[in-house]
Amino acid sequence: MSRSVLTVADLSATEIGEVLDLALQTKAGENSCPRSLEGKTALLIFQKPSLRTRVSFELAVDNLGGRALYLSPPEVGIGERESPEDVGGVAGRYCDLIVCRTFDQSNLERLAAASGVPIVNALSDWEHPCQALADVLTIREHGGTAGRTLAYVGDGNNVARSLAIAAAGEGMDVRIASPSGYELDEASITVASQRAVGSGGSVTAIGNPDEAVDGADVVYTDTWTSMGQELEAKQRLEAFDGYQVDVDLVGKASPDACVMHCLPAHRGEEITDDVLDGPRSIVLDQAENRLHAQQALLAWLFG
Ligand code: CP
Ligand code: NVA
């Protein structure tokens, strides 16, 4: 049966651990990159722009011996030119795997049902599971996950949702600070909290960014205006006033805290240049780990 990763919760905390262990071993050269996709074709369907996700998936497929075919936003039109069922049904006849970046989470579910091949979520409005795998991998490398505190400051969005669930499953104390009306939904907090029960972590929604960051080991933020929300940009800029990750806010964290951002950053909005480019920032390690985490995920799915 084909196994899809539409949300980060499609992988148990144990399975995420297996993927990350594999990523660390391969990255360290302890085992050679498996040829798990030899003779296989991955179709990358992207309905939104991408630098990191597209490049890292193309390289991962290539490193695993497979072939990647990329379809850019204007080319497919899931739900516009053709229904998700028709796209999935056709793509499943040509390809062994679909990596898809889309708007509505239901597009992924419908592709999965119609295609019969594994679907990997390369970002939807709801989740960004591959980002979360790379993020947790990066935190493991920078001081470890279990028992440490992650403060997410900003929009309760796709990145926050996947990150909270993955980090809670690794035993982190996750604090999320968002302005009123932009909080992570209760159902996602519950999923993350359930993961925390098994791992010894915790999940707390805190309105005040200073309180969330107080003594934290990792400070994380993402854009206030995600792809597809451009018309709300002005209103969001006002709503997120006071939630910028700047030197003062980072100064409230642990003295050796790391700063993370999935990128792309809106410099001067959710994060200042001096923090993003400063000594605490691990954003390039994080970006690099997209490759290692996704390569391990595909090797694990096809292993
Ligand atoms: N972080 C991330 O997903 O970046 P891209 O949008 O460039 O893929
Ligand atoms: N939340 C952002 C993440 C980009 C990688 C977005 O969805 O645009």
Side-chain angles (χ1 to χ4, degrees):
M1 206 186 78
S2 68
R3 180 86 187 263
S4 290
V5 179
L6 309 187
T7 70
V8 80
D10 286 337
L11 299 168
S12 68
T14 304
E15 289 172 334
I16 289 175
E18 287 170 12
V19 170
L20 299 184
D21 288 346
L22 184 59
L24 286 169
Q25 285 159 12
T26 310
K27 187 175 175 183
E30 287 166 18
N31 52 13
S32 57
C33 187
R35 304 288 290 176
S36 316
L37 292 181
E38 193 83 60
K40 298 195 188 300
T41 301
L43 182 62
L44 275 51
I45 304 177
F46 277 52
Q47 295 196 289
K48 301 181 185 182
S50 171
L51 168 64
R52 283 145 289 269
T53 310
R54 181 211 170 156
V55 174
S56 55
F57 262 112
E58 286 208 24
L59 291 174
V61 170
D62 192 65
N63 291 346
L64 294 167
R67 175 169 54 168
L69 299 177
Y70 171 74
L71 291 173
S72 66
E75 287 180 277
V76 178
I78 299 174
E80 291 161 12
R81 185 168 183 262
E82 281 186 279
S83 71
E85 285 73 19
D86 289 349
V87 174
V90 171
R93 295 296 178 101
Y94 297 135
C95 302
D96 306 282
L97 161 71
I98 299 171
V99 175
C100 182
R101 169 168 286 198
T102 189
F103 292 87
D104 203 305
Q105 182 75 11
S106 69
N107 285 338
L108 299 170
E109 289 155 12
R110 293 167 68 181
L111 282 179
S115 68
V117 299
I119 309 291
V120 175
N121 180 353
L123 181 147
S124 66
D125 292 345
W126 185 247
E127 276 223 26
H128 199 358
C130 296
Q131 179 70 54
L133 293 180
D135 294 343
V136 172
L137 177 64
T138 309
I139 300 169
R140 276 193 180 194
E141 291 177 324
H142 287 271
T145 48
R148 297 178 80 231
T149 300
L150 164 68
Y152 178 93
V153 179
D155 193 14
N157 62 11
N158 47 6
V159 166
R161 183 170 290 110
S162 299
L163 178 68
I165 295 167
E170 285 268 310
M172 296 197 81
D173 293 313
V174 180
R175 301 179 193 153
I176 308 167
S178 309
S180 174
Y182 296 91
E183 300 98 336
L184 196 57
D185 63 294
E186 276 302 322
S188 298
I189 299 264
T190 301
V191 174
S193 300
Q194 283 162 351
R195 293 258 161 148
V197 170
S199 68
S202 65
V203 183
T204 319
I206 299 175
N208 185 316
D210 290 357
E211 275 177 45
V213 167
D214 184 33
D217 301 295
V218 180
V219 180
Y220 196 121
T221 190
D222 180 22
T223 181
W224 296 334
T225 303
S226 285
M227 292 179 277
Q229 298 173 332
E230 289 77 7
L231 291 177
E232 300 171 27
K234 189 171 171 292
Q235 166 195 333
R236 285 174 166 269
L237 213 52
E238 286 163 14
F240 284 89
D241 185 33
Y243 284 78
Q244 185 181 63
V245 174
D246 58 13
V247 168
D248 281 352
L249 187 66
V250 174
K252 300 188 165 64
S254 156
D256 55 359
C258 297
V259 173
M260 299 181 74
H261 191 307
C262 59
L263 304 177
H266 292 57
R267 289 168 175 264
E269 294 185 13
E270 76 275 4
I271 193 163
T272 53
D273 285 339
D274 49 5
V275 171
L276 193 66
D277 302 327
R280 306 274 187 85
S281 172
I282 57 170
V283 298
L284 294 182
D285 291 343
Q286 204 183 338
E288 179 191 333
N289 277 337
R290 297 294 306 279
L291 171 62
H292 302 294
Q294 287 154 204
Q295 193 169 289
L297 174 66
L298 297 184
W300 184 87
L301 280 175
F302 285 85

